[in-house]
Amino acid sequence: MGLFQGKVAVVSGGSRGIGRAIVLMLAREGCSVAFNYVHNTAKAEALVSEVQGLGVECVASQVDVCDFDAVKKWIDESKARLGGLDIVVNNAGVIRDKNLLMMPPEDWHTVINTNLNGMFHVSRASIFHLLKQRRGHIVNISSISGSIGLVGQTNYSASKGGMNAFTKALAKECAPYGVRVNAVAPGFIETDMLEGIDEASREAVLKGIPLGRIGKADDVAGVVRFLLSEESAYILGQIIQVDGGLAIR
Ligand code: NDP
C-alpha cells in the first residue's frame, strides 16, 4: 500500500524535470495525479502513459499557470475527474537570466508571472477546498536563489524570495485548518533548466557544492514525499534546502 494511496494531487509543470519526478513519486505511492504544462504535449502524454502503466489515474492539461481563469477551470475539472484534492505542488517555473543592466522588462514579467503569480493562481484556486475539508498540503518548489540571491537572477531571485514569504504567511493562515504548507529550495538540479550552462560555469558551480555533485530531480522528489508524509507532521512553513550544501549559512 502506497504512502498516498487514495489521495489526489495536482502538480504544476509536471511534464519535465523536477515536476515529472514528483508526478512519478506520487504515482508510485498510489496517488492520482493531474498535472499541467505549456508546450511539451508529447512529453506530457508519454508521462501520462507511464503513470497509467503503474495502475494510477493521471491527467495532463495544457494550461498556462499565468492565466488565472484557465488555472481555476483546470483545478475544478481535475478535482471532479479524480474525485477530490489533497495535495498541491507548485512546481512550474522558468528562468530568464541576465544582469539587471541588460534585462528587458518582458524577462522580468515572464519570470514573476510564471513563478510567483502562477503559484498564487494554483494555490488560490485550490485553497477553499483544502480548508473546507480540513486537511491537505501545499508544497512550493522554490530555489536557493530566493534566499541567497544569484548573479543574473534578480527576476528569478525575487520570484523565489516572494514564494518563500508566501509559504510562511500561508502556512500560518492554514495551520488552524489542518492544512500544512512548506517549500523545498533546490540548488543545482540536472534538468533542462541547466541546459544553457557552459562547461566552465558548471565546473565553478561544482566547486561550490560540498557534496561534489549536481543534484537529481529525485533528490527533490524525495524531500517532497517527506513533507507530504506524517513523518513531517510537525514541520510547517519551512523552506528546506536541497542543494548538496551549496547555500549552507
Ligand atoms: P524544467 O525547465 O525542466 O521544467 C519546467 C516545467 O514547468 C515544465 O513542465 C514546463 O512545461 C512547466 N512550465 C513552464 N512554464 C509554465 C507555465 N507558464 N504554465 C505551466 N507550466 C509551465 O524545470 P525544472 O524541472 O528544472 O524546474 C522545476 C522547478 O524547480 C521550477 O520552479 C524551478 O524554478 C525550480 N528549480 C530548479 C532548479 C534546477 O537546477 N533545475 C534549481 C532550483 C529550483 P513544458 O514542458 O510544457 O515547457
Side-chain angles (χ1 to χ4, degrees):
M1 171 114 164
L3 213 49
F4 311 128
Q5 201 75 41
K7 304 271 192 225
V8 177
V10 294
V11 178
S12 71
S15 51
R16 294 182 286 127
I18 292 170
R20 179 177 187 279
I22 292 170
V23 168
L24 284 168
M25 175 280 289
L26 289 165
R28 287 189 196 104
E29 295 294 353
C31 188
S32 307
V33 191
F35 70 87
N36 74 337
Y37 65 98
V38 258
H39 298 118
N40 279 290
T41 303
K43 287 195 175 169
E45 283 174 356
L47 180 58
V48 168
S49 302
E50 194 174 341
V51 169
Q52 286 172 344
L54 297 169
V56 167
E57 274 197 274
C58 184
V59 195
S61 307
Q62 191 167 22
V63 169
D64 188 339
V65 290
C66 302
D67 178 345
F68 179 66
D69 291 340
V71 166
K72 175 93 179 62
K73 190 161 173 279
W74 169 55
I75 297 287
D76 289 348
E77 285 174 0
S78 302
K79 224 164 46 186
R81 173 120 179 237
L82 299 178
L85 179 58
D86 305 283
I87 294 165
V88 175
V89 181
N90 284 301
N91 166 80
V94 292
I95 48 172
R96 294 287 186 277
D97 290 4
K98 265 182 200 76
N99 286 354
L100 187 65
L101 181 65
M102 304 303 289
M103 187 179 290
E106 62 262 31
D107 283 359
W108 173 269
H109 292 301
T110 297
V111 168
I112 298 293
N113 276 337
T114 309
N115 302 3
L116 189 59
N117 296 343
M119 173 195 62
F120 164 72
H121 293 152
V122 174
S123 306
R124 179 66 182 85
S126 312
I127 196 69
F128 177 72
H129 177 81
L130 298 182
L131 295 177
K132 190 170 165 228
Q133 76 182 0
R134 293 191 157 262
R135 81 186 139 73
H137 290 267
I138 296 180
V139 175
N140 297 324
I141 309 302
S142 180
S143 164
I144 56 160
S145 188
S147 52
I148 62 172
L150 292 177
V151 171
Q153 294 198 331
T154 50
N155 50 0
Y156 187 74
S157 296
S159 74
K160 297 298 188 177
M163 196 177 225
N164 293 351
F166 176 98
T167 300
K168 294 176 195 182
L170 187 63
K172 289 179 185 173
E173 282 185 19
C174 294
Y177 298 87
V179 175
R180 277 199 296 131
V181 183
N182 285 290
V184 179
F188 287 86
I189 306 295
E190 201 64 73
T191 70
D192 296 344
M193 199 174 259
L194 290 198
E195 247 175 14
I197 293 195
D198 59 61
E199 222 20 69
S201 310
R202 182 180 279 263
E203 284 306 313
V205 163
L206 268 176
K207 281 203 182 97
I209 303 176
L211 279 180
R213 68 170 174 89
I214 302 280
K216 299 183 297 254
D218 282 340
D219 291 323
V220 179
V223 176
V224 173
R225 173 173 40 216
F226 167 68
L227 288 174
L228 295 173
S229 76
E230 279 308 298
E231 298 197 334
S232 64
Y234 205 51
I235 294 181
L236 184 78
Q238 295 302 303
I239 321 296
I240 312 283
Q241 286 178 196
V242 181
D243 64 351
L246 176 62
I248 291 174
R249 280 163 297 161

